[in-house]
């Protein structure tokens, strides 16, 4: 049961993490490309790069909130009236975790869009869990379950995205 709950609990973050890829395909929204780092640099390197946008952060956070609200509506055990807030925190944390990882990638010279295994697969999980902590008491065992489960889901979904032409590389 706890593995299923780990899947269900972290779903807003998983959806938020995938959102920027899909939002970029929406004709009206894909024109809004303001980068999160606003083009700023540190040590002559972009802070985050052009692929981390305000559009992606806002869309992912809002979709995380929506998923949390839907989870509360469905009424499964463990979800209550602030599920939209937990969903938003998970979504925002997932995308912020991804942005922090991008900062380190740029600083060590990994090009934007290049794989950095296993950090590309864990950044959003760690970020989401950190931001969910103020709203939910999570045990270390549960956090490990979320990490293991969503790491695997990320690998599978990245491969599917690659096969569908949504991603340039399988990992």
């Amino acid at each position: 049961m706890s593995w299923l709950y780990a899947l269900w609990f972290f779903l807003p973050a998983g959806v938020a993490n995938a959102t920027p890829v899909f939002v970029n395909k929406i004709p009206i929204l894909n024109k809004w490309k303001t980068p999160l780092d606003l083009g700023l640099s540190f040590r002559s390197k972009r802070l985050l790069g052009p692929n981390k946008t305000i559009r992606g952060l806002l869309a992912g956070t809002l979709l995380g909130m929506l998923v949390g609200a839907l989870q509360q509506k469905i009424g499964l055990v463990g979800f209550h009236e602030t599920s939209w807030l937990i969903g938003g925190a998970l979504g925002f944390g997932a995308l912020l975790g991804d942005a922090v990882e991008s900062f380190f990638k740029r600083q060590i010279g990994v090009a934007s869009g290049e794989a950095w295994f296993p950090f590309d697969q864990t950044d959003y999980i760690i970020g989401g869990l950190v931001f969910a902590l103020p709203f939910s008491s999570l045990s270390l065992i549960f956090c490990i379950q979320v990490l293991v489960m969503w790491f695997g889901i990320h690998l599978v979904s990245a491969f599917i995205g690659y096969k569908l032409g949504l991603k340039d590389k399988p990992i």
Side-chain angles (χ1 to χ4, degrees):
M1 175 67 172
S2 62
W3 285 97
L4 187 57
Y5 185 67
L7 174 71
W8 186 248
F9 175 82
F10 203 71
L11 186 62
V15 169
N17 189 54
T19 297
V21 173
F22 293 102
V23 171
N24 191 40
K25 304 288 183 195
I26 299 172
I28 294 171
L29 293 177
N30 70 1
K31 291 173 181 30
W32 182 26
K33 298 179 181 186
T34 307
L36 272 175
D37 66 9
L38 303 174
L40 298 173
S41 297
F42 176 71
R43 296 182 344 164
S44 301
K45 297 175 184 170
R46 281 286 297 272
L47 289 177
L48 305 175
N51 296 327
K52 303 299 176 223
T53 64
I54 293 172
R55 172 195 65 215
L57 179 66
L58 291 176
T61 301
L62 290 172
L63 210 53
M65 291 172 81
L66 178 63
V67 170
L70 289 172
Q71 288 174 315
Q72 185 269 323
K73 258 312 196 203
I74 292 170
L76 293 178
V77 175
F79 290 87
H80 44 76
E81 63 276 355
T82 60
S83 292
W84 66 271
L85 183 61
I86 294 169
L90 283 163
F92 181 81
L95 294 168
L96 191 64
D98 186 51
V100 168
E101 180 256 352
S102 288
F103 171 79
F104 287 108
K105 279 174 78 169
R106 298 299 85 75
Q107 293 306 304
I108 66 166
V110 178
S112 185
E114 288 297 314
W116 194 31
F117 187 85
F119 304 104
D120 286 328
Q121 293 73 30
T122 56
D123 55 3
Y124 80 103
I125 302 168
I126 295 167
L129 289 172
V130 166
F131 274 77
L133 282 172
F135 307 103
S136 188
S137 58
L138 306 174
S139 72
L140 179 60
I141 296 296
F142 181 74
C143 290
I144 291 169
Q145 287 175 319
V146 168
L147 182 67
V148 169
M149 175 169 283
W150 282 92
F151 179 83
I153 289 170
H154 185 89
L155 291 175
V156 170
S157 64
F159 184 74
I160 291 169
Y162 169 71
K163 286 297 192 182
L164 293 174
L166 298 171
K167 295 179 63 91
D168 295 333
K169 296 179 179 145
I171 291 183

